[in-house]
Amino acid sequence: MQQPPLPTRPTRDAVPSIDEGSAGAVVWHRTDLRIADNPVLAAAAGGRGDADRRLLPLFVFDPAFYGDGGTACDARIEFLHDCLRDLDRQYRDVGGVGLTYAHGDPIAVLERLVDAGWDVYAQGAPSGRYGTNRDGRARESLDVNFVGGDGLVRDEPYPRREWSDRVEAWLTDDPVDWDPRQVRLDRIDTGVDPGRIADAYAVASEKTDVPAGGRSVARDRLESFVSRLGAYPGNISSPVDAREGTSGLSPYLRFGCLSVREVYQRVEEGAPDGRGKSMFISRLYWNRHYRQKLLDWPGWVDRAVNPVMRGFNRDRHDPELVAAWKAGETGFPMVDASMRCLRETGWLNFRTRAMCASLYFHVLQQPWRIGADHFYEHLIDGDAAINYTQWQSQCGLVGRPGLRLYNPAKGVRDLDPDGEFVTRWVPELADLPARHLPRPEKTPLAVQDDCGVRIGEEYPYPVVDYEGARQEFRDRYGEVGGDAADRLADETVARRASLSGGVSGAKAIAAEHGNEPDRTTTSESGGSQTGLDEF
């Protein structure tokens, strides 16, 4: 196990004690790196409501996120460090002394503060494998106050009941506020800061075109996007147009530089009505939808939701096929360009993300989690709630009927007809006429000779036969599809699937598409469900 290059900080001696009759609250920032519309900060600043209440904003650099054991690329870590420097400025701008940086196992760091009399407040957000375990330890051993207030439904037996109505009410509600004049903002000088951590752990990204992190940059991007939102529908599918034509806000939402609510309200206030506005707002609902899924069942990151689908493709694991997919050397140009773009920039638009996942699981027929983990490592906006739930949904592991199976050759024709994206990332094909880019292996040898591009030499033949592999997958999937639909009638499985139609929606799928005849369904609410079909 790699030893941390820095000791645990702050030391016990450096932690100020809370005197009897006073109150001290630690705001443990994780993925809520802002001071505006921050329910954790508002909750921590509440209570006494006078200057005797001490507030300590804190970020803990956890060694588990660095080195070989980490699950984030260096570019995402550098983006995080930008966000933290910006958060420090936010506190100073309201008269504070800045953000306290700590280093070490967060539980060990927080224990020192709790022992000195501090209460700890943190965002109760759904997280990945490590974060879920860490928060469980913090809740059990330190009695950390985990705060909601993010539009998600907690501690209810049927969270999907009238869910979209509740999310809408949260989105339109007033942002939460706090008054920095009513608390005493504290800081501990620990000798730890983002720069020192980056040096100690040799954080050095080689990715390009990575945006700067922080709230100030995020606000500028939001304002720019609102002014051009009308063009949004025409820009989202093409990987070339999407680079500048979409909002670019996903990494800022992932790290909480902006709240989903303030983005929603700014768009509602500043953008003209139209298709672009409605499409973008729908994606803010989907952001909450996928986070609700992970909150309802943290297992999304580890195993297939539907027990019938667990282990699907496991017996076909081929490390060479996985390596070709990761490297962008599959012989399918749109997928190869996308995978190289992901590795180089940490970004892909939604359509190409889905296409790469589809080829990986449906055509190469490889185990889903290896692919999902690779995406999560490289994406600057890597969010466990969105990444893993989307991967499972795209692969068909929930048990719903139908497959979103993408054709990469059609993807070139539809999304990159001039070959701009493909040849940018697969320069081996730059001299090949654009009409041959969907299927380079079909290019006549005379044309290959004329342009100096030999398929099988400069660029590989497809690693599998697309049509044959796709049909084989369809046959295999069809053999278990009815059984998978049947399992959605099991309320335990239905709850973890967290479909927009709730438990009753899952049971309806089982009744219509399962193998067991004459199944009846009942609604957990006794009435109709409010779904997200319109979104």
Side-chain angles (χ1 to χ4, degrees):
M1 180 177 179
Q2 180 181 1
Q3 296 298 314
L6 298 174
T8 298
R9 299 283 180 85
T11 63
R12 289 189 182 275
D13 292 342
V15 177
S17 297
I18 300 300
D19 299 328
E20 187 176 350
S22 298
V26 174
V27 181
W28 179 21
H29 285 280
R30 291 101 65 78
T31 56
D32 54 345
L33 306 182
R34 65 183 185 280
I35 66 172
D37 195 23
N38 188 326
V40 179
L41 185 51
R48 294 176 60 89
D50 57 46
D52 286 336
R53 185 166 183 81
R54 300 168 67 177
L55 211 64
L56 182 71
L58 173 75
F59 185 87
V60 183
F61 292 104
D62 187 341
F65 290 153
Y66 295 84
D68 295 338
T71 57
C73 64
D74 281 358
R76 189 156 88 233
I77 292 174
E78 288 183 343
F79 185 93
L80 164 65
H81 288 191
D82 286 348
C83 296
L84 292 171
R85 283 184 282 263
D86 187 90
L87 180 60
D88 179 78
R89 288 192 292 270
Q90 292 174 52
Y91 277 110
R92 294 177 188 276
D93 287 345
V94 295
V97 288
L99 181 65
T100 292
Y101 297 111
H103 174 269
D105 176 2
I107 307 306
V109 171
L110 295 173
E111 183 180 29
R112 297 177 180 184
L113 289 153
V114 170
D115 287 347
W118 293 84
D119 298 321
V120 180
Y121 291 78
Q123 184 184 41
S127 185
R129 303 174 195 120
Y130 178 82
T132 298
N133 178 269
R134 174 204 60 204
D135 289 356
R137 292 164 57 210
R139 184 179 290 106
E140 293 171 9
S141 62
L142 301 175
D143 198 26
V144 169
N145 300 285
F146 285 100
V147 180
D150 52 5
L152 304 183
V153 179
R154 292 171 169 82
D155 303 321
E156 293 191 16
Y158 300 107
R160 285 294 180 175
R161 183 181 297 170
E162 299 179 348
W163 183 86
S164 60
D165 290 340
R166 291 202 251 184
V167 173
E168 182 177 4
W170 174 78
L171 288 169
T172 57
D173 198 5
D174 291 336
V176 295
D177 200 4
W178 65 291
D179 188 347
R181 297 168 300 181
Q182 295 299 312
V183 295
R184 186 176 120 199
L185 289 165
D186 275 352
R187 180 177 179 273
I188 303 173
D189 187 2
T190 63
V192 176
D193 61 45
R196 186 177 180 192
I197 291 293
D199 290 342
Y201 286 101
V203 175
S205 173
E206 296 181 354
K207 290 190 182 344
T208 61
D209 298 328
V210 177
R215 180 173 174 82
S216 58
V217 179
R219 289 170 65 100
D220 290 344
R221 282 182 172 264
L222 175 58
E223 291 304 312
S224 172
F225 180 64
V226 167
S227 68
R228 53 187 171 81
L229 208 154
Y232 176 70
N235 291 331
I236 60 175
S237 294
S238 164
V240 174
D241 297 338
R243 171 67 72 169
E244 299 298 331
T246 53
S247 72
L249 293 175
S250 57
Y252 303 97
L253 292 174
R254 183 257 186 267
F255 284 106
C257 303
L258 300 169
S259 75
V260 171
R261 173 160 53 196
E262 63 182 316
V263 172
Y264 172 89
Q265 293 185 3
R266 182 67 189 96
V267 169
E268 278 284 21
E269 167 194 292
D273 291 338
R275 183 163 172 255
K277 181 176 180 178
S278 62
M279 284 182 67
F280 182 74
I281 284 176
S282 77
R283 279 146 179 81
L284 298 179
Y285 277 86
W286 280 116
N287 177 287
R288 298 295 87 185
H289 170 71
Y290 285 108
R291 283 182 174 264
Q292 183 74 53
K293 283 180 174 290
L294 188 58
L295 181 67
D296 292 347
W297 189 59
W300 278 94
V301 301
D302 285 316
R303 55 195 185 278
V305 169
N306 196 305
V308 172
M309 301 308 299
R310 288 182 187 165
F312 202 84
N313 283 350
R314 185 182 299 159
D315 61 338
R316 294 170 177 260
H317 180 215
D318 184 334
E320 291 187 1
L321 285 180
V322 172
W325 178 78
K326 288 181 177 181
E329 296 176 354
T330 67
F332 297 96
M334 181 57 82
V335 170
D336 290 344
S338 299
M339 295 303 296
R340 297 183 194 188
C341 178
L342 171 66
R343 189 175 66 248
E344 174 73 19
T345 72
W347 179 87
L348 287 175
N349 68 325
F350 174 77
R351 183 65 65 85
T352 51
R353 294 187 197 197
M355 185 177 298
C356 291
S358 176
L359 184 98
Y360 175 87
F361 191 76
H362 300 145
V363 180
L364 303 185
Q365 301 182 71
Q366 296 302 296
W368 76 275
R369 224 185 82 180
I370 298 173
D373 285 349
H374 182 74
F375 265 44
Y376 187 62
E377 175 188 352
H378 283 280
L379 288 167
I380 307 301
D381 62 5
D383 182 319
I386 296 174
N387 183 67
Y388 290 97
T389 57
Q390 284 278 31
W391 261 84
Q392 289 216 38
S393 298
Q394 173 60 51
C395 293
L397 302 179
V398 178
R400 301 182 70 169
L403 283 172
R404 291 182 285 180
L405 206 161
Y406 287 75
N407 184 326
K410 186 175 185 296
V412 177
R413 291 191 291 268
D414 292 349
L415 306 179
D416 192 35
D418 297 327
E420 180 180 353
F421 180 73
V422 166
T423 55
R424 161 70 176 84
W425 294 106
V426 188
E428 307 96 295
L429 298 177
D431 293 330
L432 196 70
R435 67 182 181 277
H436 294 297
L437 290 175
R439 298 287 301 272
E441 75 280 7
K442 299 291 186 181
T443 306
L445 293 179
V447 175
Q448 294 184 40
D449 289 339
D450 287 344
C451 64
V453 177
R454 271 287 184 173
I455 306 305
E457 297 177 8
E458 288 86 0
Y459 184 71
Y461 285 105
V463 290
V464 298
D465 173 61
Y466 174 80
E467 294 295 343
R470 182 180 69 166
Q471 187 57 53
E472 180 186 30
F473 179 88
R474 284 186 179 278
D475 293 342
R476 294 173 55 231
Y477 191 85
E479 291 175 359
V480 299
D483 292 338
D486 280 330
R487 291 306 298 270
L488 289 175
D490 181 333
E491 188 155 328
T492 299
V493 177
R495 284 174 181 270
R496 72 169 62 128
S498 189
L499 301 177
S500 57
V503 172
S504 62
K507 291 183 175 181
I509 291 172
E512 182 176 356
H513 300 280
N515 293 326
E516 295 184 20
D518 302 323
R519 179 188 288 108
T520 59
T521 62
T522 58
S523 169
E524 70 270 16
S525 64
S528 62
Q529 292 290 315
T530 300
L532 275 172
D533 294 342
E534 67 271 32
F535 301 124

